[in-house]
PDB file of all heavy atoms in Angstrom:
ATOM      1  N   PRO N   1       0.844  -1.210   0.000  1.00 54.00           N
ATOM      2  CA  PRO N   1       0.000   0.000   0.000  1.00 54.00           C
ATOM      3  C   PRO N   1       0.870   1.248   0.000  1.00 54.00           C
ATOM      4  O   PRO N   1       1.978   1.259   0.517  1.00 54.00           O
ATOM      5  CB  PRO N   1      -0.789  -0.126   1.314  1.00 54.00           C
ATOM      6  CG  PRO N   1       0.057  -1.013   2.174  1.00 54.00           C
ATOM      7  CD  PRO N   1       0.720  -1.975   1.227  1.00 54.00           C
ATOM      8  N   PRO N   2       0.374   2.294  -0.617  1.00 51.00           N
ATOM      9  CA  PRO N   2       1.187   3.528  -0.669  1.00 51.00           C
ATOM     10  C   PRO N   2       1.470   4.066   0.724  1.00 51.00           C
ATOM     11  O   PRO N   2       0.630   4.023   1.614  1.00 51.00           O
ATOM     12  CB  PRO N   2       0.298   4.492  -1.476  1.00 51.00           C
ATOM     13  CG  PRO N   2      -1.081   3.963  -1.307  1.00 51.00           C
ATOM     14  CD  PRO N   2      -0.936   2.462  -1.233  1.00 51.00           C
ATOM     15  N   GLN N   3       2.704   4.552   0.889  1.00 51.00           N
ATOM     16  CA  GLN N   3       3.096   5.100   2.185  1.00 51.00           C
ATOM     17  C   GLN N   3       2.431   6.453   2.403  1.00 51.00           C
ATOM     18  O   GLN N   3       2.174   7.196   1.464  1.00 51.00           O
ATOM     19  CB  GLN N   3       4.610   5.256   2.269  1.00 51.00           C
ATOM     20  CG  GLN N   3       5.366   3.944   2.115  1.00 51.00           C
ATOM     21  CD  GLN N   3       6.858   4.162   2.206  1.00 51.00           C
ATOM     22  OE1 GLN N   3       7.295   5.279   2.391  1.00 51.00           O
ATOM     23  NE2 GLN N   3       7.612   3.101   2.078  1.00 51.00           N
ATOM     24  N   SER N   4       2.154   6.695   3.642  1.00 49.00           N
ATOM     25  CA  SER N   4       1.536   7.977   3.992  1.00 49.00           C
ATOM     26  C   SER N   4       2.631   8.984   4.325  1.00 49.00           C
ATOM     27  O   SER N   4       3.453   8.748   5.204  1.00 49.00           O
ATOM     28  CB  SER N   4       0.603   7.808   5.196  1.00 49.00           C
ATOM     29  OG  SER N   4       1.320   7.331   6.295  1.00 49.00           O
ATOM     30  N   TYR N   5       2.679  10.058   3.616  1.00 47.00           N
ATOM     31  CA  TYR N   5       3.681  11.096   3.807  1.00 47.00           C
ATOM     32  C   TYR N   5       3.032  12.278   4.519  1.00 47.00           C
ATOM     33  O   TYR N   5       1.904  12.674   4.209  1.00 47.00           O
ATOM     34  CB  TYR N   5       4.257  11.570   2.475  1.00 47.00           C
ATOM     35  CG  TYR N   5       5.054  10.494   1.761  1.00 47.00           C
ATOM     36  CD1 TYR N   5       4.467   9.737   0.759  1.00 47.00           C
ATOM     37  CD2 TYR N   5       6.369  10.249   2.105  1.00 47.00           C
ATOM     38  CE1 TYR N   5       5.184   8.746   0.111  1.00 47.00           C
ATOM     39  CE2 TYR N   5       7.102   9.256   1.459  1.00 47.00           C
ATOM     40  CZ  TYR N   5       6.498   8.514   0.457  1.00 47.00           C
ATOM     41  OH  TYR N   5       7.204   7.543  -0.170  1.00 47.00           O
ATOM     42  N   SER N   6       3.768  12.823   5.463  1.00 48.00           N
ATOM     43  CA  SER N   6       3.276  14.012   6.144  1.00 48.00           C
ATOM     44  C   SER N   6       3.508  15.221   5.252  1.00 48.00           C
ATOM     45  O   SER N   6       4.437  15.246   4.447  1.00 48.00           O
ATOM     46  CB  SER N   6       4.025  14.205   7.474  1.00 48.00           C
ATOM     47  OG  SER N   6       5.410  14.325   7.238  1.00 48.00           O
ATOM     48  N   PRO N   7       2.672  16.214   5.344  1.00 48.00           N
ATOM     49  CA  PRO N   7       2.850  17.391   4.488  1.00 48.00           C
ATOM     50  C   PRO N   7       4.170  18.068   4.783  1.00 48.00           C
ATOM     51  O   PRO N   7       4.644  18.071   5.911  1.00 48.00           O
ATOM     52  CB  PRO N   7       1.659  18.286   4.873  1.00 48.00           C
ATOM     53  CG  PRO N   7       1.260  17.814   6.226  1.00 48.00           C
ATOM     54  CD  PRO N   7       1.557  16.337   6.246  1.00 48.00           C
ATOM     55  N   PRO N   8       4.822  18.619   3.772  1.00 44.00           N
ATOM     56  CA  PRO N   8       6.121  19.268   3.999  1.00 44.00           C
ATOM     57  C   PRO N   8       5.996  20.426   4.960  1.00 44.00           C
ATOM     58  O   PRO N   8       5.053  21.205   4.916  1.00 44.00           O
ATOM     59  CB  PRO N   8       6.529  19.743   2.587  1.00 44.00           C
ATOM     60  CG  PRO N   8       5.242  19.822   1.827  1.00 44.00           C
ATOM     61  CD  PRO N   8       4.358  18.752   2.388  1.00 44.00           C
ATOM     62  N   GLN N   9       6.974  20.503   5.853  1.00 44.00           N
ATOM     63  CA  GLN N   9       6.984  21.571   6.836  1.00 44.00           C
ATOM     64  C   GLN N   9       7.575  22.835   6.219  1.00 44.00           C
ATOM     65  O   GLN N   9       8.472  22.777   5.390  1.00 44.00           O
ATOM     66  CB  GLN N   9       7.804  21.169   8.068  1.00 44.00           C
ATOM     67  CG  GLN N   9       7.275  19.929   8.764  1.00 44.00           C
ATOM     68  CD  GLN N   9       5.927  20.165   9.400  1.00 44.00           C
ATOM     69  OE1 GLN N   9       5.647  21.268   9.849  1.00 44.00           O
ATOM     70  NE2 GLN N   9       5.090  19.136   9.423  1.00 44.00           N
ATOM     71  N   ALA N  10       7.059  23.940   6.632  1.00 42.00           N
ATOM     72  CA  ALA N  10       7.576  25.207   6.127  1.00 42.00           C
ATOM     73  C   ALA N  10       8.996  25.419   6.625  1.00 42.00           C
ATOM     74  O   ALA N  10       9.287  25.223   7.799  1.00 42.00           O
ATOM     75  CB  ALA N  10       6.685  26.369   6.577  1.00 42.00           C
ATOM     76  N   TYR N  11       9.883  25.791   5.741  1.00 36.00           N
ATOM     77  CA  TYR N  11      11.279  26.017   6.097  1.00 36.00           C
ATOM     78  C   TYR N  11      11.404  27.337   6.832  1.00 36.00           C
ATOM     79  O   TYR N  11      10.942  28.375   6.357  1.00 36.00           O
ATOM     80  CB  TYR N  11      12.140  26.037   4.845  1.00 36.00           C
ATOM     81  CG  TYR N  11      13.577  26.414   5.112  1.00 36.00           C
ATOM     82  CD1 TYR N  11      14.412  25.559   5.817  1.00 36.00           C
ATOM     83  CD2 TYR N  11      14.085  27.634   4.670  1.00 36.00           C
ATOM     84  CE1 TYR N  11      15.727  25.894   6.070  1.00 36.00           C
ATOM     85  CE2 TYR N  11      15.395  27.973   4.914  1.00 36.00           C
ATOM     86  CZ  TYR N  11      16.204  27.098   5.611  1.00 36.00           C
ATOM     87  OH  TYR N  11      17.495  27.443   5.861  1.00 36.00           O
ATOM     88  N   VAL N  12      11.988  27.294   7.988  1.00 40.00           N
ATOM     89  CA  VAL N  12      12.172  28.489   8.809  1.00 40.00           C
ATOM     90  C   VAL N  12      13.649  28.853   8.786  1.00 40.00           C
ATOM     91  O   VAL N  12      14.495  28.072   9.203  1.00 40.00           O
ATOM     92  CB  VAL N  12      11.705  28.248  10.261  1.00 40.00           C
ATOM     93  CG1 VAL N  12      11.919  29.506  11.087  1.00 40.00           C
ATOM     94  CG2 VAL N  12      10.239  27.831  10.282  1.00 40.00           C
ATOM     95  N   ARG N  13      13.957  30.005   8.281  1.00 43.00           N
ATOM     96  CA  ARG N  13      15.348  30.443   8.230  1.00 43.00           C
ATOM     97  C   ARG N  13      15.850  30.729   9.640  1.00 43.00           C
ATOM     98  O   ARG N  13      15.084  31.198  10.491  1.00 43.00           O
ATOM     99  CB  ARG N  13      15.467  31.710   7.388  1.00 43.00           C
ATOM    100  CG  ARG N  13      15.116  31.498   5.923  1.00 43.00           C
ATOM    101  CD  ARG N  13      15.276  32.790   5.163  1.00 43.00           C
ATOM    102  NE  ARG N  13      14.390  33.814   5.699  1.00 43.00           N
ATOM    103  CZ  ARG N  13      14.458  35.089   5.326  1.00 43.00           C
ATOM    104  NH1 ARG N  13      15.365  35.499   4.490  1.00 43.00           N
ATOM    105  NH2 ARG N  13      13.610  35.969   5.843  1.00 43.00           N
ATOM    106  N   PRO N  14      17.123  30.442   9.895  1.00 44.00           N
ATOM    107  CA  PRO N  14      17.641  30.677  11.247  1.00 44.00           C
ATOM    108  C   PRO N  14      17.421  32.104  11.718  1.00 44.00           C
ATOM    109  O   PRO N  14      17.125  32.340  12.873  1.00 44.00           O
ATOM    110  CB  PRO N  14      19.132  30.337  11.101  1.00 44.00           C
ATOM    111  CG  PRO N  14      19.186  29.370   9.972  1.00 44.00           C
ATOM    112  CD  PRO N  14      18.096  29.801   9.031  1.00 44.00           C
ATOM    113  N   GLN N  15      17.549  33.060  10.796  1.00 45.00           N
ATOM    114  CA  GLN N  15      17.410  34.431  11.226  1.00 45.00           C
ATOM    115  C   GLN N  15      15.961  34.794  11.529  1.00 45.00           C
ATOM    116  O   GLN N  15      15.694  35.832  12.087  1.00 45.00           O
ATOM    117  CB  GLN N  15      17.967  35.401  10.175  1.00 45.00           C
ATOM    118  CG  GLN N  15      17.269  35.318   8.818  1.00 45.00           C
ATOM    119  CD  GLN N  15      17.922  34.326   7.909  1.00 45.00           C
ATOM    120  OE1 GLN N  15      18.645  33.451   8.356  1.00 45.00           O
ATOM    121  NE2 GLN N  15      17.686  34.445   6.617  1.00 45.00           N
ATOM    122  N   ASP N  16      15.002  33.934  11.167  1.00 52.00           N
ATOM    123  CA  ASP N  16      13.609  34.222  11.426  1.00 52.00           C
ATOM    124  C   ASP N  16      13.142  33.688  12.774  1.00 52.00           C
ATOM    125  O   ASP N  16      12.127  34.108  13.276  1.00 52.00           O
ATOM    126  CB  ASP N  16      12.722  33.630  10.326  1.00 52.00           C
ATOM    127  CG  ASP N  16      12.841  34.398   9.026  1.00 52.00           C
ATOM    128  OD1 ASP N  16      13.267  35.554   9.076  1.00 52.00           O
ATOM    129  OD2 ASP N  16      12.524  33.841   7.973  1.00 52.00           O
ATOM    130  N   GLY N  17      13.822  32.715  13.354  1.00 77.00           N
ATOM    131  CA  GLY N  17      13.311  32.173  14.591  1.00 77.00           C
ATOM    132  C   GLY N  17      14.339  31.508  15.479  1.00 77.00           C
ATOM    133  O   GLY N  17      14.084  31.318  16.663  1.00 77.00           O
ATOM    134  N   ILE N  18      15.488  31.122  14.948  1.00 82.00           N
ATOM    135  CA  ILE N  18      16.467  30.354  15.701  1.00 82.00           C
ATOM    136  C   ILE N  18      17.784  31.117  15.742  1.00 82.00           C
ATOM    137  O   ILE N  18      18.180  31.733  14.763  1.00 82.00           O
ATOM    138  CB  ILE N  18      16.676  28.973  15.068  1.00 82.00           C
ATOM    139  CG1 ILE N  18      15.341  28.224  15.012  1.00 82.00           C
ATOM    140  CG2 ILE N  18      17.690  28.164  15.848  1.00 82.00           C
ATOM    141  CD1 ILE N  18      15.414  26.905  14.308  1.00 82.00           C
ATOM    142  N   ARG N  19      18.452  31.039  16.894  1.00 83.00           N
ATOM    143  CA  ARG N  19      19.721  31.752  17.052  1.00 83.00           C
ATOM    144  C   ARG N  19      20.773  31.186  16.112  1.00 83.00           C
ATOM    145  O   ARG N  19      20.724  30.028  15.699  1.00 83.00           O
ATOM    146  CB  ARG N  19      20.184  31.678  18.511  1.00 83.00           C
ATOM    147  CG  ARG N  19      21.043  30.474  18.881  1.00 83.00           C
ATOM    148  CD  ARG N  19      20.316  29.157  18.878  1.00 83.00           C
ATOM    149  NE  ARG N  19      21.117  28.035  19.243  1.00 83.00           N
ATOM    150  CZ  ARG N  19      21.929  27.375  18.414  1.00 83.00           C
ATOM    151  NH1 ARG N  19      22.100  27.770  17.199  1.00 83.00           N
ATOM    152  NH2 ARG N  19      22.592  26.323  18.860  1.00 83.00           N
ATOM    153  N   SER N  20      21.726  32.006  15.778  1.00 80.00           N
ATOM    154  CA  SER N  20      22.821  31.580  14.929  1.00 80.00           C
ATOM    155  C   SER N  20      23.977  31.078  15.792  1.00 80.00           C
ATOM    156  O   SER N  20      24.018  31.289  17.000  1.00 80.00           O
ATOM    157  CB  SER N  20      23.293  32.744  14.048  1.00 80.00           C
ATOM    158  OG  SER N  20      23.844  33.781  14.857  1.00 80.00           O
ATOM    159  N   GLN N  21      24.927  30.400  15.150  1.00 80.00           N
ATOM    160  CA  GLN N  21      26.110  29.938  15.874  1.00 80.00           C
ATOM    161  C   GLN N  21      26.933  31.115  16.380  1.00 80.00           C
ATOM    162  O   GLN N  21      27.570  31.029  17.424  1.00 80.00           O
ATOM    163  CB  GLN N  21      26.958  29.054  14.957  1.00 80.00           C
ATOM    164  CG  GLN N  21      26.326  27.720  14.620  1.00 80.00           C
ATOM    165  CD  GLN N  21      26.295  26.778  15.810  1.00 80.00           C
ATOM    166  OE1 GLN N  21      26.862  27.061  16.861  1.00 80.00           O
ATOM    167  NE2 GLN N  21      25.620  25.660  15.664  1.00 80.00           N
ATOM    168  N   GLY N  22      26.911  32.223  15.634  1.00 83.00           N
ATOM    169  CA  GLY N  22      27.652  33.395  16.090  1.00 83.00           C
ATOM    170  C   GLY N  22      27.114  33.947  17.392  1.00 83.00           C
ATOM    171  O   GLY N  22      27.878  34.399  18.251  1.00 83.00           O
ATOM    172  N   GLU N  23      25.786  33.913  17.542  1.00 88.00           N
ATOM    173  CA  GLU N  23      25.192  34.366  18.801  1.00 88.00           C
ATOM    174  C   GLU N  23      25.629  33.487  19.972  1.00 88.00           C
ATOM    175  O   GLU N  23      25.929  33.987  21.063  1.00 88.00           O
ATOM    176  CB  GLU N  23      23.670  34.350  18.692  1.00 88.00           C
ATOM    177  CG  GLU N  23      23.075  35.481  17.884  1.00 88.00           C
ATOM    178  CD  GLU N  23      21.579  35.572  18.088  1.00 88.00           C
ATOM    179  OE1 GLU N  23      21.152  36.104  19.124  1.00 88.00           O
ATOM    180  OE2 GLU N  23      20.834  35.091  17.214  1.00 88.00           O
ATOM    181  N   MET N  24      25.648  32.170  19.748  1.00 90.00           N
ATOM    182  CA  MET N  24      26.056  31.277  20.830  1.00 90.00           C
ATOM    183  C   MET N  24      27.527  31.464  21.152  1.00 90.00           C
ATOM    184  O   MET N  24      27.939  31.374  22.315  1.00 90.00           O
ATOM    185  CB  MET N  24      25.780  29.823  20.447  1.00 90.00           C
ATOM    186  CG  MET N  24      24.313  29.453  20.434  1.00 90.00           C
ATOM    187  SD  MET N  24      23.465  29.807  21.997  1.00 90.00           S
ATOM    188  CE  MET N  24      24.369  28.748  23.131  1.00 90.00           C
ATOM    189  N   GLY N  25      28.345  31.724  20.145  1.00 90.00           N
ATOM    190  CA  GLY N  25      29.759  31.988  20.404  1.00 90.00           C
ATOM    191  C   GLY N  25      29.943  33.198  21.296  1.00 90.00           C
ATOM    192  O   GLY N  25      30.758  33.185  22.230  1.00 90.00           O
ATOM    193  N   ALA N  26      29.174  34.270  21.034  1.00 90.00           N
ATOM    194  CA  ALA N  26      29.250  35.459  21.892  1.00 90.00           C
ATOM    195  C   ALA N  26      28.779  35.145  23.307  1.00 90.00           C
ATOM    196  O   ALA N  26      29.352  35.632  24.290  1.00 90.00           O
ATOM    197  CB  ALA N  26      28.406  36.581  21.290  1.00 90.00           C
ATOM    198  N   LEU N  27      27.736  34.311  23.432  1.00 94.00           N
ATOM    199  CA  LEU N  27      27.241  33.958  24.757  1.00 94.00           C
ATOM    200  C   LEU N  27      28.262  33.116  25.514  1.00 94.00           C
ATOM    201  O   LEU N  27      28.417  33.276  26.734  1.00 94.00           O
ATOM    202  CB  LEU N  27      25.917  33.205  24.640  1.00 94.00           C
ATOM    203  CG  LEU N  27      25.258  32.792  25.960  1.00 94.00           C
ATOM    204  CD1 LEU N  27      24.998  34.012  26.841  1.00 94.00           C
ATOM    205  CD2 LEU N  27      23.967  32.027  25.709  1.00 94.00           C
ATOM    206  N   TYR N  28      28.975  32.225  24.831  1.00 95.00           N
ATOM    207  CA  TYR N  28      29.997  31.429  25.509  1.00 95.00           C
ATOM    208  C   TYR N  28      31.099  32.325  26.068  1.00 95.00           C
ATOM    209  O   TYR N  28      31.576  32.125  27.187  1.00 95.00           O
ATOM    210  CB  TYR N  28      30.601  30.411  24.534  1.00 95.00           C
ATOM    211  CG  TYR N  28      29.650  29.328  24.104  1.00 95.00           C
ATOM    212  CD1 TYR N  28      29.708  28.790  22.820  1.00 95.00           C
ATOM    213  CD2 TYR N  28      28.673  28.832  24.964  1.00 95.00           C
ATOM    214  CE1 TYR N  28      28.832  27.792  22.407  1.00 95.00           C
ATOM    215  CE2 TYR N  28      27.800  27.837  24.569  1.00 95.00           C
ATOM    216  CZ  TYR N  28      27.882  27.329  23.286  1.00 95.00           C
ATOM    217  OH  TYR N  28      27.011  26.348  22.886  1.00 95.00           O
ATOM    218  N   VAL N  29      31.492  33.331  25.293  1.00 94.00           N
ATOM    219  CA  VAL N  29      32.567  34.224  25.740  1.00 94.00           C
ATOM    220  C   VAL N  29      32.109  35.061  26.933  1.00 94.00           C
ATOM    221  O   VAL N  29      32.792  35.143  27.973  1.00 94.00           O
ATOM    222  CB  VAL N  29      33.029  35.124  24.580  1.00 94.00           C
ATOM    223  CG1 VAL N  29      34.026  36.175  25.074  1.00 94.00           C
ATOM    224  CG2 VAL N  29      33.660  34.288  23.475  1.00 94.00           C
ATOM    225  N   THR N  30      30.937  35.698  26.819  1.00 96.00           N
ATOM    226  CA  THR N  30      30.469  36.558  27.902  1.00 96.00           C
ATOM    227  C   THR N  30      30.117  35.751  29.155  1.00 96.00           C
ATOM    228  O   THR N  30      30.335  36.225  30.277  1.00 96.00           O
ATOM    229  CB  THR N  30      29.245  37.363  27.455  1.00 96.00           C
ATOM    230  OG1 THR N  30      28.249  36.471  26.925  1.00 96.00           O
ATOM    231  CG2 THR N  30      29.623  38.368  26.386  1.00 96.00           C
ATOM    232  N   SER N  31      29.582  34.550  28.971  1.00 96.00           N
ATOM    233  CA  SER N  31      29.281  33.730  30.153  1.00 96.00           C
ATOM    234  C   SER N  31      30.560  33.278  30.844  1.00 96.00           C
ATOM    235  O   SER N  31      30.585  33.160  32.081  1.00 96.00           O
ATOM    236  CB  SER N  31      28.437  32.517  29.752  1.00 96.00           C
ATOM    237  OG  SER N  31      29.122  31.691  28.821  1.00 96.00           O
ATOM    238  N   THR N  32      31.628  33.059  30.090  1.00 97.00           N
ATOM    239  CA  THR N  32      32.912  32.731  30.714  1.00 97.00           C
ATOM    240  C   THR N  32      33.413  33.897  31.565  1.00 97.00           C
ATOM    241  O   THR N  32      33.863  33.712  32.704  1.00 97.00           O
ATOM    242  CB  THR N  32      33.948  32.370  29.649  1.00 97.00           C
ATOM    243  OG1 THR N  32      33.481  31.246  28.887  1.00 97.00           O
ATOM    244  CG2 THR N  32      35.287  32.035  30.275  1.00 97.00           C
ATOM    245  N   ILE N  33      33.326  35.111  31.004  1.00 96.00           N
ATOM    246  CA  ILE N  33      33.746  36.295  31.759  1.00 96.00           C
ATOM    247  C   ILE N  33      32.868  36.466  32.992  1.00 96.00           C
ATOM    248  O   ILE N  33      33.349  36.791  34.091  1.00 96.00           O
ATOM    249  CB  ILE N  33      33.676  37.543  30.858  1.00 96.00           C
ATOM    250  CG1 ILE N  33      34.647  37.387  29.673  1.00 96.00           C
ATOM    251  CG2 ILE N  33      33.997  38.805  31.649  1.00 96.00           C
ATOM    252  CD1 ILE N  33      34.532  38.506  28.648  1.00 96.00           C
ATOM    253  N   TYR N  34      31.573  36.228  32.826  1.00 97.00           N
ATOM    254  CA  TYR N  34      30.651  36.337  33.966  1.00 97.00           C
ATOM    255  C   TYR N  34      30.986  35.303  35.036  1.00 97.00           C
ATOM    256  O   TYR N  34      30.948  35.612  36.232  1.00 97.00           O
ATOM    257  CB  TYR N  34      29.218  36.150  33.472  1.00 97.00           C
ATOM    258  CG  TYR N  34      28.186  36.112  34.579  1.00 97.00           C
ATOM    259  CD1 TYR N  34      27.770  37.287  35.207  1.00 97.00           C
ATOM    260  CD2 TYR N  34      27.633  34.903  34.998  1.00 97.00           C
ATOM    261  CE1 TYR N  34      26.821  37.256  36.227  1.00 97.00           C
ATOM    262  CE2 TYR N  34      26.684  34.866  36.017  1.00 97.00           C
ATOM    263  CZ  TYR N  34      26.282  36.035  36.628  1.00 97.00           C
ATOM    264  OH  TYR N  34      25.356  35.993  37.633  1.00 97.00           O
ATOM    265  N   GLY N  35      31.314  34.082  34.637  1.00 97.00           N
ATOM    266  CA  GLY N  35      31.680  33.055  35.607  1.00 97.00           C
ATOM    267  C   GLY N  35      32.944  33.404  36.365  1.00 97.00           C
ATOM    268  O   GLY N  35      33.017  33.228  37.595  1.00 97.00           O
ATOM    269  N   VAL N  36      33.945  33.905  35.649  1.00 96.00           N
ATOM    270  CA  VAL N  36      35.184  34.318  36.321  1.00 96.00           C
ATOM    271  C   VAL N  36      34.906  35.466  37.289  1.00 96.00           C
ATOM    272  O   VAL N  36      35.396  35.490  38.427  1.00 96.00           O
ATOM    273  CB  VAL N  36      36.241  34.709  35.274  1.00 96.00           C
ATOM    274  CG1 VAL N  36      37.477  35.318  35.958  1.00 96.00           C
ATOM    275  CG2 VAL N  36      36.646  33.500  34.438  1.00 96.00           C
ATOM    276  N   GLY N  37      34.093  36.435  36.837  1.00 96.00           N
ATOM    277  CA  GLY N  37      33.748  37.551  37.714  1.00 96.00           C
ATOM    278  C   GLY N  37      32.972  37.107  38.938  1.00 96.00           C
ATOM    279  O   GLY N  37      33.164  37.654  40.039  1.00 96.00           O
ATOM    280  N   THR N  38      32.105  36.113  38.762  1.00 97.00           N
ATOM    281  CA  THR N  38      31.369  35.591  39.910  1.00 97.00           C
ATOM    282  C   THR N  38      32.318  34.948  40.912  1.00 97.00           C
ATOM    283  O   THR N  38      32.162  35.104  42.139  1.00 97.00           O
ATOM    284  CB  THR N  38      30.324  34.563  39.445  1.00 97.00           C
ATOM    285  OG1 THR N  38      29.426  35.187  38.515  1.00 97.00           O
ATOM    286  CG2 THR N  38      29.535  34.011  40.616  1.00 97.00           C
ATOM    287  N   GLY N  39      33.332  34.228  40.414  1.00 96.00           N
ATOM    288  CA  GLY N  39      34.318  33.645  41.310  1.00 96.00           C
ATOM    289  C   GLY N  39      35.105  34.696  42.069  1.00 96.00           C
ATOM    290  O   GLY N  39      35.375  34.543  43.275  1.00 96.00           O
TER     291      GLY N  39
END
């Protein structure tokens, strides 16, 4: 029997809803500085 396929999901560009790797890189750096400052 034919397989049932789910309707294609709309493609969401990272800049429309999801953070970029560059944003996480900045957060890693600032959180490191924050952790050192907390210590």
